Amino acid sequence: MLKSCYQSVDEAGTDEAGRGCLAGPVTAAAIILPQNFRNSVLNDSKQLSETKRTLLRPILEKNAVSFSVYHVFEDEIDEINILNASFLAMHRAINHLEPLPSFIIVDGNRFKPYPNIEHECIVKGDGKYMSIAAASVLAKTHRDEYMAKIHEEFPMYNWKKNKGYPTKEHREAIKQYGLTKYHRKSFGQLPEQLTLDI
């Protein structure tokens, strides 16, 4: 059973999706849930089926005190690196919460402090606290929706299925067709890029 809050009734949970992908944005969500919010299905998005995530999204968006979702795209990822891009996406999502929370709980073990609001990093927090789980579901569903959209432009990479992750199929498509404007140029797109030809 997920806990309703960590410290404060107006705390925000935040999480990201897409850090390990070869293409597409890293997407973060931040959400403040009402103190009395309960949902027996809600869990870490990775533990839920796509159907359950899709059903949960409108419930979370309707019931939230406030929520925000933000993409940081490939050019910024390549410029500042994926870790900083993840922090940036979470900060921008928090920026658009109304009202701003008094406390932030973050999935994982690292976070760049948000100005004037205390935070706590919680390892596997998306399986412990409802607001982080809710943020994980929103980040995942919004990012998947975006990847399905750009799949129509470049169907040969099958982003509708692999969501930009480094599957064998995705890497084979990169070998055959090269990189698109949506690929992260700072990432090792193919395994052989990680070895030196000496």
Side-chain angles (χ1 to χ4, degrees):
M1 182 73 178
L2 300 182
K3 298 174 184 177
S4 58
C5 64
Y6 178 78
Q7 177 173 321
S8 167
V9 295
D10 65 340
E11 72 192 15
T14 187
D15 199 5
E16 50 73 28
R19 262 179 72 170
C21 294
L22 302 180
V26 61
T27 303
I31 186 168
I32 302 172
L33 289 171
Q35 189 176 5
N36 62 352
F37 182 81
R38 298 290 183 276
N39 187 286
S40 60
V41 177
L42 181 59
N43 200 348
D44 167 13
S45 65
K46 295 184 290 296
Q47 304 300 319
L48 299 172
S49 67
E50 184 173 0
T51 299
K52 286 182 178 178
R53 290 194 299 265
T54 301
L55 289 171
L56 276 169
R57 175 174 155 180
I59 294 170
L60 297 171
E61 293 180 350
K62 179 181 178 182
N63 286 277
V65 174
S66 182
F67 77 91
S68 175
V69 181
Y70 208 96
H71 300 299
V72 170
F73 292 97
E74 308 78 31
D75 54 345
E76 279 195 285
I77 292 171
D78 289 336
E79 184 179 341
I80 64 175
N81 79 44
I82 187 60
L83 180 63
N84 286 321
S86 299
F87 295 155
L88 180 61
M90 288 189 274
H91 277 224
R92 287 177 176 171
I94 294 165
N95 287 346
H96 289 87
L97 293 176
E98 182 61 47
L100 282 174
S102 62
F103 195 74
I104 301 163
I105 52 176
V106 186
D107 183 52
N109 61 1
R110 297 177 72 183
F111 186 62
K112 183 178 180 181
Y114 187 91
N116 304 316
I117 302 178
E118 291 186 19
H119 73 272
E120 191 77 32
C121 293
I122 301 170
V123 175
K124 298 184 179 177
D126 46 8
K128 297 175 182 176
Y129 292 95
M130 283 195 292
S131 61
I132 301 180
S136 78
V137 169
L138 294 185
K140 175 68 173 163
T141 54
H142 278 267
R143 187 180 187 280
D144 286 358
E145 183 178 72
Y146 176 84
M147 295 306 294
K149 180 181 176 183
I150 64 172
H151 165 90
E152 302 303 322
E153 191 176 349
F154 293 99
M156 66 283 282
Y157 299 92
N158 204 10
W159 291 330
K160 192 172 185 178
K161 181 180 179 183
N162 63 51
K163 310 300 192 280
Y165 282 92
T167 62
K168 182 179 178 180
E169 175 190 40
H170 189 183
R171 290 194 190 276
E172 287 298 324
I174 292 170
K175 283 183 181 179
Q176 185 172 353
Y177 301 105
L179 301 179
T180 69
K181 60 185 178 182
Y182 298 112
H183 281 98
R184 302 172 184 178
K185 308 305 188 290
S186 58
F187 277 46
Q189 297 285 342
L190 297 171
E192 52 266 33
Q193 290 178 255
L194 303 179
T195 61
L196 295 176
D197 185 15
I198 298 175

